[in-house]
Amino acid sequence: MAEINLLARYPRATRNLAARKQAQAESRTIARRFGREYFDGTREQGYGGYRYDGRWIPVARDMAAHFKLRAGDRVLDVGCAKGFLMRDLMEVVPGLEAWGLEISPYAIDNCHPEARGRILRGTAQKLPFASDSFAAALSINVVHNLGLDACIEAVREMERIAPGRSYIQVDAYRNDDERDMFLDWVLTADTFGKPEMWRDLFRRAGYTGDYYWTILEARPP
Ligand SMILES: C[S@@+](CC[C@H](N)C(=O)[O-])C[C@H]1O[C@@H](n2cnc3c(N)ncnc32)[C@H](O)[C@@H]1O
């Protein structure tokens, strides 16, 4: 199990914490439906418009190198949204078979054309795939949307389908300032805490894959 940031080359988002904080209670209810508003509505309710722009290409390259992916390998992206990372993985590793699992019918209906037919509807808690059936499994900012017990089950499922060959990224904070910013920004996460909490959860789930954190950091003045 290794702590490694495979999203180091993902562009940093611009965040208006004040606006998000003000809009929060209603926005959370709307965001948690993972419908149109979450992906293509306002920034207060989610992505503020999630369109393909190639931003995952460098991440796909880093993932391909990390997991030594090659033609014929099967990779699963759990909570793949519109399948952009899947699409980019198939570009950077020609012949790779990328699959996705998503809870949102809206995301599946509006996925990238190259991901069409490759995304199954379901929940991270119960993956409809055989054990040890993927060369790698990825889940970025997804399992923290589940309550604690379900979150542990989702982590266990990642381990089951790709033992020791997964990457999970989750919301976390390291100190009170980061926690306060996180609480002002969070829309959908249900299980969150410090990295120690997550490492303990991973151990309880028997997880042996890799992981990293999505942390809101204060910008220098
Ligand atoms: C923050 S987005 C991350 C999407 C994508 N992994 C990325 O990094 O851009 C969370 C995604 O998880 C999906 N999701 C939420 N709960 C889920 C669950 N229980 N099982 C599978 N997908 C889920 C949402 O529909 C959404 O696409």
Side-chain angles (χ1 to χ4, degrees), residues 93-171:
V93 185
L96 181 94
E97 251 191 68
W99 294 93
L101 186 290
E102 241 304 323
I103 205 166
S104 164
Y106 176 84
I108 298 173
D109 289 349
N110 292 278
C111 72
H112 193 284
E114 288 168 45
R116 200 160 298 287
R118 301 193 149 272
I119 306 178
L120 276 68
R121 178 148 193 243
T123 171
Q125 224 179 311
K126 194 167 179 0
L127 299 176
F129 301 102
S131 301
D132 201 0
S133 56
F134 287 91
L138 318 167
S139 191
I140 300 166
N141 297 330
V142 177
V143 301
H144 57 214
N145 291 318
L146 297 159
L148 183 61
D149 291 347
C151 179
I152 294 173
E153 282 172 38
V155 172
R156 227 173 247 142
E157 281 290 84
M158 294 288 288
E159 180 69 19
R160 182 181 65 77
I161 60 156
R165 303 184 301 272
S166 290
Y167 177 75
I168 297 180
Q169 182 149 332
V170 283
D171 280 342

Side-chain angles (χ1 to χ4, degrees), residues 14 16 19-20 23-24 26-28 30-31 35-51 106 185 187:
T14 325
N16 182 341
R20 171 74 70 90
Q24 232 186 26
E26 195 196 344
S27 297
R28 275 189 182 149
I30 294 170
R36 186 190 61 76
E37 295 87 347
Y38 177 71
F39 293 97
D40 292 320
T42 65
R43 190 73 172 118
E44 279 66 53
Q45 295 172 348
Y47 280 92
Y50 195 33
R51 285 174 283 276
Y106 176 84
W185 183 255
L187 285 177

Side-chain angles (χ1 to χ4, degrees), residues 52 56-57 60-61 64 69-75 82-100 112-119 138:
Y52 182 78
W56 286 100
I57 294 260
R61 287 211 174 94
L69 299 174
R70 10 175 237 198
D73 282 346
R74 280 159 43 93
V75 173
K82 295 182 179 181
F84 297 161
L85 174 59
M86 291 165 56
R87 185 242 164 252
D88 290 350
L89 281 165
M90 291 189 286
E91 178 179 314
V92 304
V93 185
L96 181 94
E97 251 191 68
W99 294 93
H112 193 284
E114 288 168 45
R116 200 160 298 287
R118 301 193 149 272
I119 306 178
L138 318 167

